[in-house]
Amino acid sequence: MKTIAIIGGGVTGVTTAYALAKRGFAVTLLERHRYAAMETSYANGGQLSASNAEVWNHRATIVKALQWMLRSDAPLLVHPHPTWHKLSWFAEFVSAMPNYHRNTIALARMAVAARDHLFQWADDEGIEFDLQRRGILHIHRDRAEFEHAVTVTKLLERGGVPRRAVTPDEMRAIEPALQGACYGGHYTQSDSSGDIHKFTTGLALAAQRHGAQLRYQQQVVQLNAGAGGVDVTVLQGDSADTSRYDAVVVCAGAASRDLAAQLGDSVNVYPVKGYSVTVHLEDAASRAAAPTVSLVDDTVKLVCSRLGADRLRVAGTAEFHGHNRDIRADRIAPLTDWVQYNFPEVSTRSITPWAGLRPMMPDLLPRVGPGKAPGVFYNTGHGHLGWTLSAATADMVASAISSSWEAVRQRTASPLKMA
């Protein structure tokens, strides 16, 4: 039986482990934390959002970033301190702008494929994760923003994601709790929301039931690929241990770039920090006033999702500040202010702030597939759509591994022709 090491226990690593274990491979998942889903897959915005498949490689993104550079509470904040990583990433980001239309359509198609896999896996394994299949409502505050969304809608439709424009009255019929002024919106009925942490931890246990080994508190420090397989060195306390696997799949989020470099590959993932607050709806008035439909406010780039009866998750912002994980009060304040403006009867007295690093490729397309060396594969760089895309990319990389080894098996099993 072929042995495969999965590096990373976030949603991409866990879905990859599950997809491979279901195919009968001997899977070992290596995660540096004590549990699965403790970093970027811990407290995101909760959306399974094909309607958010628009890539960021657009001139308007550059203009807004420049306008917001001196605002500490800006939705998109680029720290001016230059590093080679940041400069090279933005150079590739700009070079990908001509592919804006094509890449948006590609992401939309991937998100649609992922949806079917994810729901099927959750049903098969009995995973409860506060799923709400009520769609996602995009809010536009002015005409220019609404008209841009109309053009995005046409691209999404080409990718298999239908969504419709709605008036302010229609928006409040979809989500009666919504307050505040708006110009219009778009509604994607096929989108949904839920708790990524609950889903990922539930699927990790399912992967274990299917034979995967889950090894936590395993810090991967070195990878070496050769003809006989891939050597993986992990650090446990003060001791290092090296094991050989037939293949390795790098699903290490923001750490993927450094690990890929050890294997001779360039995977230019940048850690784009996002923030969230979980608003605890501790009283009946707050529970009644909080939305049940998942929302996206395109003006300030914030999303919100209702998680069960007593939690509201609000998330957003994009901060380019390297591997910094600090939770800053001036970045959290706009999230709670947004709740107070749009849902004034919801109490924000009890909140839990969080920050995580989105692993983002310059063209916003995840890196999925083989590396240069035999037995090396990647499933990383999903950016703001990690959960949305994860089930599709896991299936893609599992299929790629199966196909590559089946091709090798057929070549070695073919009888020699007699002269």
Side-chain angles (χ1 to χ4, degrees):
M1 184 182 294
K2 296 292 187 179
T3 58
I4 305 175
I6 311 296
I7 302 177
V11 70
T12 55
V14 169
T15 51
T16 301
Y18 179 82
L20 286 165
K22 287 275 285 184
R23 284 168 166 80
F25 293 107
V27 175
T28 300
L29 183 143
L30 303 171
E31 164 56 42
R32 71 186 186 94
H33 289 289
R34 191 178 177 185
Y35 310 103
M38 293 304 293
E39 289 199 17
T40 310
S41 301
Y42 186 75
N44 74 352
Q47 294 190 331
L48 292 162
S49 52
S51 60
N52 259 342
E54 180 192 11
V55 299
W56 299 2
N57 308 86
H58 193 280
R59 183 174 61 182
T61 305
I62 303 293
V63 172
K64 288 178 180 179
L66 293 173
Q67 292 174 341
W68 288 334
M69 280 193 73
L70 298 179
R71 282 181 48 189
S72 63
D73 63 344
L76 175 60
L77 181 61
V78 180
H79 288 260
H81 183 264
T83 65
W84 170 248
H85 187 190
K86 188 187 297 182
L87 293 173
S88 68
W89 192 92
F90 276 110
E92 291 185 41
F93 177 92
V94 172
S95 68
M97 288 172 63
N99 299 322
Y100 163 81
H101 294 85
R102 184 180 67 188
N103 289 350
T104 295
I105 295 168
L107 278 183
R109 288 173 177 162
M110 199 179 297
V112 172
R115 180 189 298 148
D116 294 336
H117 287 300
L118 187 143
F119 289 152
Q120 187 63 58
W121 294 349
D123 288 344
D124 290 347
E125 305 298 344
I127 301 171
E128 297 291 337
F129 59 102
D130 295 324
L131 176 64
Q132 294 275 9
R133 302 184 72 166
R134 297 172 179 262
I136 290 180
L137 178 63
H138 281 244
I139 303 168
H140 313 304
R141 302 293 180 179
D142 57 43
R143 179 175 178 177
E145 189 177 278
F146 177 84
E147 291 179 347
H148 174 74
V150 170
T151 64
V152 173
T153 296
K154 294 176 182 178
L155 296 177
L156 295 176
E157 288 175 347
R158 290 172 62 185
V161 182
R163 72 174 186 177
R164 60 186 175 91
V166 287
T167 66
D169 287 342
E170 290 173 316
M171 293 169 66
R172 290 184 173 86
I174 294 168
E175 179 44 78
L178 180 63
Q179 305 293 315
C182 57
Y183 180 87
H186 280 83
Y187 179 58
T188 311
Q189 189 169 2
S190 57
D191 277 346
S192 55
S193 62
D195 188 322
I196 185 175
H197 185 74
K198 286 186 176 181
F199 172 81
T200 306
T201 54
L203 194 69
L205 294 174
Q208 194 171 37
R209 290 195 297 271
H210 288 286
Q213 295 186 48
L214 309 182
R215 296 184 180 175
Y216 297 113
Q217 296 179 298
Q218 306 276 314
Q219 176 70 52
V220 176
V221 294
Q222 185 65 45
L223 299 174
N224 291 290
V230 183
D231 290 331
V232 180
T233 302
V234 299
L235 192 65
Q236 292 179 288
D238 295 328
S239 62
D241 179 67
T242 300
S243 301
R244 173 162 291 190
Y245 299 88
D246 293 311
V248 66
V249 187
V250 178
C251 306
S256 298
R257 179 175 179 263
D258 291 340
L259 293 174
Q262 297 179 12
L263 296 165
D265 292 310
S266 175
V267 180
N268 198 11
V269 167
Y270 193 90
V272 181
K273 183 161 63 171
Y275 293 82
S276 78
V277 294
T278 302
V279 181
H280 302 282
L281 308 173
E282 297 180 331
D283 56 83
S286 292
R287 290 191 288 273
T292 57
V293 174
S294 192
L295 306 172
V296 179
D297 191 324
D298 280 332
T299 301
V300 291
K301 308 303 180 188
L302 294 183
V303 308
C304 82
S305 299
R306 183 72 171 265
L307 303 179
D310 58 0
R311 291 183 298 154
L312 180 67
R313 176 72 49 74
V314 183
T317 78
E319 185 175 329
F320 289 78
H321 196 193
H323 288 267
N324 179 285
R325 289 181 168 85
D326 293 346
I327 299 176
R328 293 172 40 181
D330 57 351
R331 305 293 284 161
I332 291 295
L335 279 63
T336 54
D337 291 346
W338 184 88
V339 175
Q340 292 165 13
Y341 174 75
N342 292 282
F343 307 100
E345 300 305 314
V346 172
S347 171
T348 55
R349 180 180 294 109
S350 177
I351 67 167
T352 302
W354 173 86
L357 303 179
R358 307 182 191 97
M360 193 166 287
M361 294 291 290
D363 60 1
L364 274 76
L365 296 180
R367 173 70 182 271
V368 184
K372 293 178 182 177
V376 173
F377 296 85
Y378 295 93
N379 184 17
T380 190
H382 295 64
H384 66 299
L385 293 176
W387 191 22
T388 298
L389 303 177
S390 60
T393 60
D395 188 69
M396 289 164 60
V397 76
S399 296
I401 292 171
S402 298
S403 298
S404 66
W405 279 341
E406 178 62 22
V408 171
R409 189 194 66 80
Q410 290 181 357
R411 286 199 302 269
T412 57
S414 297
L416 296 175
K417 292 184 179 179
M418 299 297 291

